Amino acid sequence: MLCLCVTRPRSRLGMLRSALRAAFGRLREERDFEMRRVPEVEIRSTSPVLRVSLDGEVATMATPLRYRIRPGALRVLAPPPGAAPGAVPERVSAAAGRPPPADRPSPG
């Protein structure tokens, strides 16, 4: 699930206070924002483009912005459970730690 954090409606001064609390690690969900876990979200704006933080970089993206989860889409290399340090990793699905499907052979 995606964690969607939405700020509560505020004046400009209120937004500045929230930004300062965030900078000092003092935000509280019940006071400053609402958090929901969602499988997908679409963010609309009156602007045709928005500046978005993407993997630590700022990018300009066309609206609406659409985000969704893709279960099992990420493949990772990991040592088998209980393997000795330095063991050769095997390819594992991020979804429940399962080996890849038979129709997708392991690289190598």
Side-chain angles (χ1 to χ4, degrees), residues 20-108:
L20 288 171
R21 281 195 295 271
F24 291 100
R26 312 269 296 160
L27 284 178
R28 289 198 322 243
E29 182 177 348
E30 64 276 0
R31 176 187 64 199
D32 298 310
F33 63 94
E34 179 181 341
M35 184 164 36
R36 295 184 181 221
R37 297 177 67 85
V38 297
E40 62 185 47
V41 65
E42 180 175 283
I43 300 171
R44 298 180 188 171
S45 172
T46 55
S47 173
V49 295
L50 291 175
R51 291 174 47 106
V52 176
S53 177
L54 182 66
D55 292 331
E57 301 292 326
V58 176
T60 302
M61 300 180 74
T63 60
L65 303 175
R66 294 181 184 96
Y67 299 91
R68 65 183 172 98
I69 60 168
R70 294 178 44 200
L74 177 64
R75 304 278 183 220
V76 297
L77 293 177
V88 176
E90 63 183 43
R91 191 170 143 200
V92 180
S93 169
R98 294 187 302 260
D103 65 330
R104 293 188 195 151
S106 295

